[in-house]
Structure formats: C-alpha cells, structure tokens
Amino acid sequence: MQSVLILVDTVVQLYIYALFIFIILGWLVQFNVINTGNRFVYLVMDFLYRATEPLLRPIRNVMPNLGGLDISPIILVLGLTFARNLMWEYLG
C-alpha cells in the first residue's frame, strides 16, 4: 500500500509542476517573450492545456469574475496539496 501512496503522491507533484510550467509559459506568451508560432512551444502549450484544463475549468466556473485575474491555479494547487496531506494522514 505504501508504494501506491508514493506513486499517487509523485503523480500529484508532477501535475503541480506541470501547472506551474503552464502558468509561466502562458505569461511568456502574453508578454511576447516566446512565440507560439514555434512548433515545439505550441506542442508543449497544447499538451499542458489539455492536461490542466479539465481540473481548472470547474474551478473557473464557480469562481466569481475578478476582472482578468485568474486565481483558479492557486486554488487547484492548494486543493491538491490538501488532498496529498490528507492522503498521507489517513492512509500513510
């Protein structure tokens, strides 16, 4: 059972890293530091969008409009960290 907990913990941690990479790349694209015309950048952004959007969309639907400020990734990271800690407390 310990191996399964470690695997789930690692997958959640990798998902959090992917979320941070997606946020940073989104900022770099908006400030024209990197160009999505580059095929590699486009593929990475598309993969990260498809990986993170299914969990971000329900949070965005519930959150009120904050005038262009999207805090759904912060809420998702907090929720995933809480779930990891809860998993280790009750199952570990």
Side-chain angles (χ1 to χ4, degrees), residues 50-80:
R50 291 174 188 250
T52 58
E53 190 61 24
L55 290 180
L56 288 173
R57 187 178 309 120
I59 297 170
R60 287 182 182 137
N61 289 340
V62 174
M63 292 292 300
N65 186 4
L66 298 175
L69 182 63
D70 185 19
I71 62 169
S72 60
I74 296 169
I75 294 171
L76 181 59
V77 169
L78 289 174
L80 288 173

Side-chain angles (χ1 to χ4, degrees), residues 19-72:
L19 189 62
F20 282 134
I21 292 169
F22 180 65
I23 292 167
I24 291 170
L25 284 177
W27 287 343
L28 292 175
V29 167
Q30 282 188 333
F31 293 126
N32 290 324
V33 175
I34 59 175
N35 185 6
T36 55
N38 183 341
R39 186 72 178 154
F40 178 73
V41 172
Y42 175 78
L43 288 174
V44 170
M45 288 293 292
D46 186 51
F47 170 75
L48 291 173
Y49 176 80
R50 291 174 188 250
T52 58
E53 190 61 24
L55 290 180
L56 288 173
R57 187 178 309 120
I59 297 170
R60 287 182 182 137
N61 289 340
V62 174
M63 292 292 300
N65 186 4
L66 298 175
L69 182 63
D70 185 19
I71 62 169
S72 60

